[in-house]
Short mmCIF file of all heavy atoms in Angstrom, two decimals:
data_model
loop_
_atom_site.label_atom_id
_atom_site.label_comp_id
_atom_site.label_asym_id
_atom_site.label_seq_id
_atom_site.Cartn_x
_atom_site.Cartn_y
_atom_site.Cartn_z
N VAL N 182 45.12 165.08 58.95
CA VAL N 182 44.44 166.23 59.54
C VAL N 182 43.52 165.72 60.64
O VAL N 182 42.68 164.83 60.41
CB VAL N 182 43.64 167.01 58.48
CG1 VAL N 182 42.93 168.21 59.10
CG2 VAL N 182 44.56 167.45 57.34
N LEU N 183 43.64 166.26 61.83
CA LEU N 183 42.89 165.78 62.99
C LEU N 183 41.51 166.43 63.04
O LEU N 183 41.39 167.65 62.98
CB LEU N 183 43.65 166.09 64.28
CG LEU N 183 45.06 165.52 64.38
CD1 LEU N 183 45.72 165.97 65.68
CD2 LEU N 183 45.04 164.01 64.30
N VAL N 184 40.48 165.60 63.20
CA VAL N 184 39.10 166.10 63.34
C VAL N 184 38.43 165.39 64.52
O VAL N 184 38.94 164.41 65.05
CB VAL N 184 38.29 165.88 62.05
CG1 VAL N 184 38.90 166.66 60.88
CG2 VAL N 184 38.18 164.40 61.69
N ASP N 185 37.28 165.92 64.92
CA ASP N 185 36.44 165.33 65.97
C ASP N 185 37.21 164.96 67.23
O ASP N 185 37.12 163.83 67.73
CB ASP N 185 35.72 164.08 65.44
CG ASP N 185 34.62 164.41 64.46
OD1 ASP N 185 34.18 165.58 64.44
OD2 ASP N 185 34.19 163.51 63.72
N PRO N 186 37.96 165.88 67.81
CA PRO N 186 38.76 165.53 68.98
C PRO N 186 37.93 165.44 70.26
O PRO N 186 36.86 166.05 70.39
CB PRO N 186 39.75 166.68 69.08
CG PRO N 186 39.00 167.86 68.55
CD PRO N 186 38.16 167.30 67.42
N ALA N 187 38.46 164.67 71.19
CA ALA N 187 38.04 164.73 72.60
C ALA N 187 39.27 165.18 73.38
O ALA N 187 39.75 164.51 74.29
CB ALA N 187 37.55 163.36 73.06
N ALA N 188 39.81 166.33 72.97
CA ALA N 188 41.15 166.76 73.36
C ALA N 188 41.25 167.06 74.85
O ALA N 188 40.35 167.64 75.45
CB ALA N 188 41.55 167.99 72.56
N HIS N 189 42.39 166.67 75.42
CA HIS N 189 42.66 166.95 76.83
C HIS N 189 44.13 166.62 77.12
O HIS N 189 44.83 166.06 76.27
CB HIS N 189 41.75 166.13 77.75
CG HIS N 189 41.92 164.65 77.64
ND1 HIS N 189 41.36 163.90 76.62
CD2 HIS N 189 42.60 163.75 78.41
CE1 HIS N 189 41.67 162.62 76.78
NE2 HIS N 189 42.43 162.50 77.85
N GLY N 190 44.57 166.98 78.31
CA GLY N 190 45.87 166.53 78.76
C GLY N 190 45.76 165.10 79.23
O GLY N 190 45.02 164.80 80.16
N GLY N 191 46.48 164.21 78.57
CA GLY N 191 46.35 162.79 78.88
C GLY N 191 47.67 162.07 78.67
O GLY N 191 48.74 162.65 78.74
N HIS N 192 47.58 160.78 78.40
CA HIS N 192 48.75 159.94 78.17
C HIS N 192 48.90 159.73 76.67
O HIS N 192 47.95 159.33 75.99
CB HIS N 192 48.57 158.59 78.87
CG HIS N 192 49.85 157.85 79.10
ND1 HIS N 192 50.69 157.50 78.06
CD2 HIS N 192 50.43 157.39 80.24
CE1 HIS N 192 51.73 156.83 78.55
NE2 HIS N 192 51.60 156.76 79.87
N ARG N 193 50.09 159.96 76.16
CA ARG N 193 50.29 159.88 74.71
C ARG N 193 50.03 158.49 74.16
O ARG N 193 49.62 158.33 72.99
CB ARG N 193 51.69 160.36 74.34
CG ARG N 193 52.83 159.56 74.95
CD ARG N 193 54.15 160.29 74.78
NE ARG N 193 55.26 159.54 75.34
CZ ARG N 193 56.37 159.24 74.66
NH1 ARG N 193 56.48 159.59 73.39
NH2 ARG N 193 57.35 158.59 75.24
N GLU N 194 50.23 157.45 74.98
CA GLU N 194 49.96 156.09 74.50
C GLU N 194 48.48 155.88 74.18
O GLU N 194 48.13 154.98 73.40
CB GLU N 194 50.45 155.07 75.51
CG GLU N 194 51.97 155.00 75.64
CD GLU N 194 52.44 154.05 76.73
OE1 GLU N 194 51.61 153.27 77.24
OE2 GLU N 194 53.63 154.10 77.10
N THR N 195 47.60 156.70 74.76
CA THR N 195 46.17 156.59 74.47
C THR N 195 45.89 156.83 73.00
O THR N 195 45.14 156.08 72.36
CB THR N 195 45.38 157.58 75.34
OG1 THR N 195 45.52 157.22 76.71
CG2 THR N 195 43.90 157.58 74.97
N ASP N 196 46.48 157.88 72.42
CA ASP N 196 46.25 158.16 71.01
C ASP N 196 46.78 157.03 70.12
O ASP N 196 46.13 156.64 69.15
CB ASP N 196 46.93 159.47 70.62
CG ASP N 196 46.08 160.71 70.89
OD1 ASP N 196 44.89 160.55 71.25
OD2 ASP N 196 46.61 161.82 70.76
N LEU N 197 47.94 156.49 70.46
CA LEU N 197 48.52 155.42 69.64
C LEU N 197 47.69 154.15 69.74
O LEU N 197 47.51 153.44 68.74
CB LEU N 197 49.96 155.17 70.07
CG LEU N 197 50.89 156.39 69.96
CD1 LEU N 197 52.30 156.01 70.42
CD2 LEU N 197 50.92 156.95 68.55
N ALA N 198 47.17 153.86 70.93
CA ALA N 198 46.32 152.68 71.10
C ALA N 198 45.01 152.83 70.33
O ALA N 198 44.48 151.85 69.79
CB ALA N 198 46.04 152.45 72.58
N MET N 199 44.49 154.06 70.26
CA MET N 199 43.27 154.29 69.49
C MET N 199 43.52 154.10 68.00
O MET N 199 42.68 153.54 67.29
CB MET N 199 42.77 155.71 69.75
CG MET N 199 41.97 155.86 71.03
SD MET N 199 40.39 154.97 70.95
CE MET N 199 39.51 155.95 69.74
N LEU N 200 44.67 154.55 67.50
CA LEU N 200 44.98 154.32 66.08
C LEU N 200 45.02 152.84 65.76
O LEU N 200 44.62 152.42 64.67
CB LEU N 200 46.33 154.96 65.74
CG LEU N 200 46.36 156.45 65.47
CD1 LEU N 200 47.80 156.91 65.26
CD2 LEU N 200 45.51 156.83 64.27
N ALA N 201 45.50 152.04 66.71
CA ALA N 201 45.61 150.60 66.48
C ALA N 201 44.29 149.87 66.64
O ALA N 201 44.14 148.75 66.13
CB ALA N 201 46.64 150.01 67.46
N LEU N 202 43.32 150.48 67.32
CA LEU N 202 42.11 149.75 67.70
C LEU N 202 41.33 149.24 66.49
O LEU N 202 40.92 148.08 66.45
CB LEU N 202 41.21 150.65 68.56
CG LEU N 202 39.95 150.01 69.13
CD1 LEU N 202 40.29 148.76 69.95
CD2 LEU N 202 39.19 151.01 70.00
N PHE N 203 41.13 150.08 65.49
CA PHE N 203 40.40 149.66 64.30
C PHE N 203 41.27 149.71 63.05
O PHE N 203 40.78 149.61 61.94
CB PHE N 203 39.15 150.53 64.10
CG PHE N 203 38.19 150.47 65.26
CD1 PHE N 203 37.94 151.60 66.02
CD2 PHE N 203 37.57 149.28 65.60
CE1 PHE N 203 37.07 151.54 67.10
CE2 PHE N 203 36.70 149.21 66.68
CZ PHE N 203 36.45 150.34 67.43
N GLY N 204 42.57 149.89 63.26
CA GLY N 204 43.50 149.92 62.14
C GLY N 204 43.60 151.31 61.53
O GLY N 204 42.64 152.08 61.52
N ALA N 205 44.78 151.64 61.03
CA ALA N 205 45.02 152.91 60.36
C ALA N 205 45.96 152.67 59.20
O ALA N 205 46.82 151.79 59.26
CB ALA N 205 45.63 153.93 61.33
N PRO N 206 45.81 153.42 58.11
CA PRO N 206 46.71 153.23 56.96
C PRO N 206 48.17 153.45 57.35
O PRO N 206 48.50 154.43 58.03
CB PRO N 206 46.25 154.30 55.97
CG PRO N 206 44.86 154.64 56.37
CD PRO N 206 44.81 154.47 57.86
N TYR N 207 49.02 152.51 56.97
CA TYR N 207 50.46 152.62 57.20
C TYR N 207 50.79 152.86 58.68
O TYR N 207 51.68 153.64 59.01
CB TYR N 207 51.06 153.74 56.34
CG TYR N 207 50.77 153.56 54.86
CD1 TYR N 207 49.87 154.39 54.22
CD2 TYR N 207 51.39 152.55 54.12
CE1 TYR N 207 49.58 154.23 52.87
CE2 TYR N 207 51.11 152.38 52.77
CZ TYR N 207 50.20 153.22 52.16
OH TYR N 207 49.91 153.05 50.81
N LEU N 208 50.08 152.16 59.54
CA LEU N 208 50.29 152.35 60.97
C LEU N 208 51.73 152.04 61.36
O LEU N 208 52.30 152.71 62.24
CB LEU N 208 49.33 151.47 61.77
CG LEU N 208 49.42 151.57 63.30
CD1 LEU N 208 49.16 153.00 63.77
CD2 LEU N 208 48.45 150.58 63.96
N ASP N 209 52.34 151.04 60.71
CA ASP N 209 53.73 150.72 61.05
C ASP N 209 54.65 151.89 60.75
O ASP N 209 55.60 152.16 61.52
CB ASP N 209 54.18 149.47 60.28
CG ASP N 209 54.05 149.60 58.77
OD1 ASP N 209 53.22 150.42 58.31
OD2 ASP N 209 54.75 148.86 58.04
N ARG N 210 54.40 152.63 59.66
CA ARG N 210 55.21 153.79 59.34
C ARG N 210 54.98 154.90 60.37
O ARG N 210 55.92 155.59 60.79
CB ARG N 210 54.86 154.32 57.94
CG ARG N 210 55.08 153.33 56.81
CD ARG N 210 56.56 153.13 56.51
NE ARG N 210 56.76 152.33 55.31
CZ ARG N 210 57.01 152.82 54.10
NH1 ARG N 210 57.11 154.13 53.93
NH2 ARG N 210 57.19 152.01 53.07
N ILE N 211 53.73 155.12 60.74
CA ILE N 211 53.41 156.15 61.74
C ILE N 211 54.16 155.88 63.03
O ILE N 211 54.80 156.76 63.61
CB ILE N 211 51.89 156.20 62.00
CG1 ILE N 211 51.13 156.64 60.74
CG2 ILE N 211 51.57 157.14 63.17
CD1 ILE N 211 49.61 156.50 60.86
N LEU N 212 54.09 154.63 63.49
CA LEU N 212 54.71 154.28 64.77
C LEU N 212 56.24 154.34 64.70
O LEU N 212 56.89 154.78 65.65
CB LEU N 212 54.26 152.89 65.21
CG LEU N 212 52.77 152.75 65.54
CD1 LEU N 212 52.42 151.30 65.83
CD2 LEU N 212 52.37 153.64 66.71
N ALA N 213 56.80 153.90 63.59
CA ALA N 213 58.26 153.90 63.46
C ALA N 213 58.80 155.33 63.51
O ALA N 213 59.80 155.61 64.21
CB ALA N 213 58.68 153.22 62.16
N VAL N 214 58.16 156.24 62.79
CA VAL N 214 58.63 157.62 62.78
C VAL N 214 58.36 158.28 64.13
O VAL N 214 59.18 159.07 64.62
CB VAL N 214 57.95 158.40 61.63
CG1 VAL N 214 58.25 159.88 61.73
CG2 VAL N 214 58.43 157.85 60.29
N TYR N 215 57.22 157.94 64.75
CA TYR N 215 56.93 158.47 66.08
C TYR N 215 58.04 158.08 67.05
O TYR N 215 58.53 158.90 67.83
CB TYR N 215 55.59 157.93 66.58
CG TYR N 215 55.12 158.55 67.88
CD1 TYR N 215 54.12 159.51 67.89
CD2 TYR N 215 55.68 158.18 69.10
CE1 TYR N 215 53.70 160.09 69.07
CE2 TYR N 215 55.27 158.76 70.29
CZ TYR N 215 54.28 159.71 70.27
OH TYR N 215 53.87 160.29 71.44
N GLN N 216 58.45 156.83 67.00
CA GLN N 216 59.51 156.34 67.88
C GLN N 216 60.83 157.09 67.65
O GLN N 216 61.57 157.36 68.59
CB GLN N 216 59.73 154.84 67.68
CG GLN N 216 58.72 153.96 68.39
CD GLN N 216 59.11 153.73 69.84
OE1 GLN N 216 59.37 154.64 70.60
NE2 GLN N 216 59.16 152.46 70.22
N GLU N 217 61.12 157.40 66.40
CA GLU N 217 62.34 158.17 66.11
C GLU N 217 62.25 159.57 66.69
O GLU N 217 63.22 160.11 67.23
CB GLU N 217 62.55 158.25 64.59
CG GLU N 217 62.89 156.94 63.92
CD GLU N 217 62.95 157.08 62.41
OE1 GLU N 217 62.81 158.23 61.92
OE2 GLU N 217 63.12 156.06 61.73
#
Side-chain angles (χ1 to χ4, degrees):
V182 180
L183 302 177
V184 298
D185 288 342
H189 63 280
H192 200 302
R193 61 193 180 126
E194 291 176 13
T195 295
D196 275 352
L197 301 180
M199 279 293 291
L200 279 175
L202 185 56
F203 301 115
Y207 304 108
L208 181 59
D209 57 336
R210 300 287 188 98
I211 295 171
L212 294 175
V214 171
Y215 187 104
Q216 280 276 52
E217 292 174 4

